[in-house]
């Protein structure tokens, strides 16, 4: 597809990737794809202007001015960025079909430890989190609470997948990865020191369980792939009901339901918790 002479190709992807970094966006291109996909599948329509506020936050929308995006160098640069963003959005809309599932960045099966594995885990974690943020922006309530199941570990992932919704699976997987990252940092430090001393380092020596980390990541991946078609169909049904309800109310002006308007900013998963604990919302009262 082409928009005003611009088409989605490797050159456009490189432009988007470079601009996100140059403008100090909190999203990489991979995270942006997942974030936009989440908004596409959310129950409420997310306007492009609202999307831009999240991708390139202004100084008014952040607590620390250092977290705000930098201004574009020119109007033509801003226009090209917006067109490229809309191209990416249009490209992702094909995944609204249960037969055209969305996929996160691939993780090689052979990457079971070392720097390549760590990079894959961190990238997958941020992509799953971005997808959930997109759902939240579109009005989907994401929670880490799950039904009480006899879950013993990664070997019972099929049990979780069958009983949880797609957002619950991703939320549980990202939460599990969050819990492992402190240990992961210790492992990285131990590995770096071992390399400096020309010694080998193992997960046992660094007190880090790679199997648990791998299991959490695979839970998110396998659960997402298996529950995606059902989730897409659920979204379609909910939107159909909303449209039918609005159409039925159109003929009765006295009983027409007014759209809900949020008067306060929505609390995101990575925002400070409202209880004042100082923790992120997803690690505190969201659980």
């Amino acid at each position: 597809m082409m928009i005003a002479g611009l088409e989605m190709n490797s050159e456009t992807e490189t432009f988007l990737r470079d601009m996100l970094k140059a403008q100090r966006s909190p999203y990489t291109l991979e995270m942006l794809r997942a974030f936009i996909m989440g908004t596409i599948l959310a129950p409420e329509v997310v306007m492009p202007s609202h999307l831009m506020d999240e991708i390139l936050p202004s100084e008014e929308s952040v607590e620390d001015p250092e977290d705000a995006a930098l201004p574009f160098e020119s109007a033509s640069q801003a226009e090209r960025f917006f067109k490229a963003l809309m191209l990416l959005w249009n490209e992702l809309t094909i995944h609204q079909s249960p037969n055209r599932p969305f996929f996160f960045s691939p993780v090689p099966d052979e990457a079971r430890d070392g720097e390549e594995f760590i990079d894959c885990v961190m990238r997958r974690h941020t992509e799953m989190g971005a997808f959930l943020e997109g759902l939240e922006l579109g009005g989907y309530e994401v929670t880490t609470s799950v039904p009480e199941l006899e879950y013993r570990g990664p070997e019972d992932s099929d049990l979780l997948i069958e009983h949880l919704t797609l957002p619950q699976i991703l939320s549980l997987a990202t939460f599990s990865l969050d819990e492992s990252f402190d240990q992961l940092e210790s492992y990285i430090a131990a590995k770096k020191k071992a390399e400096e001393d020309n010694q080998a380092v193992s997960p046992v020596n660094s007190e880090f369980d790679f199997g648990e980390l791998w299991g959490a990541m695979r839970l998110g991946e396998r659960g997402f792939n298996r529950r995606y078609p059902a989730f897409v169909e659920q979204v379609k049904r909910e939107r159909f009901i909303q449209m039918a309800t609005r159409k039925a109310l159109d003929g009765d002006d006295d009983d027409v339901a007014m759209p809900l308007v949020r008067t306060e900013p929505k609390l995101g998963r990575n925002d400070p918790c409202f209880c004042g604990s100082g923790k992120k919302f997803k690690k505190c009262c969201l659980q």
Side-chain angles (χ1 to χ4, degrees), residues 37-45 95-98 131 135 138-140 165-167 227-243:
M37 196 66 240
T39 64
I40 291 174
L41 294 180
E44 300 174 7
V45 177
H95 300 300
Q96 293 180 94
S97 167
F131 184 89
L135 286 178
Y140 196 101
T165 65
L166 182 147
R227 300 298 291 173
Y228 190 88
F231 182 70
V232 170
E233 292 294 348
Q234 174 193 340
V235 170
K236 286 184 176 181
R237 287 194 298 269
E238 291 177 354
R239 288 180 176 174
F240 177 81
I241 293 173
Q242 290 177 4
M243 292 176 61

Side-chain angles (χ1 to χ4, degrees), residues 6 15 19 72-83:
L6 194 66
F15 169 76
M19 289 303 302
F72 289 101
E73 295 179 357
S74 63
S76 59
Q77 185 185 66
E79 182 181 7
R80 184 184 178 191
F81 179 83
F82 186 76
K83 289 179 179 178

Side-chain angles (χ1 to χ4, degrees), residues 60-127:
E60 294 76 15
S61 62
V62 294
E63 294 184 3
D64 188 349
E66 292 295 322
D67 293 333
L70 297 175
F72 289 101
E73 295 179 357
S74 63
S76 59
Q77 185 185 66
E79 182 181 7
R80 184 184 178 191
F81 179 83
F82 186 76
K83 289 179 179 178
L85 187 63
M86 291 301 98
L87 277 171
L88 179 59
W89 183 301
N90 290 335
E91 182 182 70
L92 291 171
T93 56
I94 65 171
H95 300 300
Q96 293 180 94
S97 167
N99 299 321
R100 300 290 296 273
F102 174 81
F103 293 102
F104 296 114
S105 298
V107 177
D109 288 333
E110 63 272 14
R112 298 302 295 263
D113 57 21
E115 293 183 4
E116 183 181 7
F117 176 70
I118 292 170
D119 290 342
C120 289
V121 171
M122 291 186 169
R123 184 171 64 248
R124 176 59 55 81
H125 174 265
T126 57
E127 289 180 44

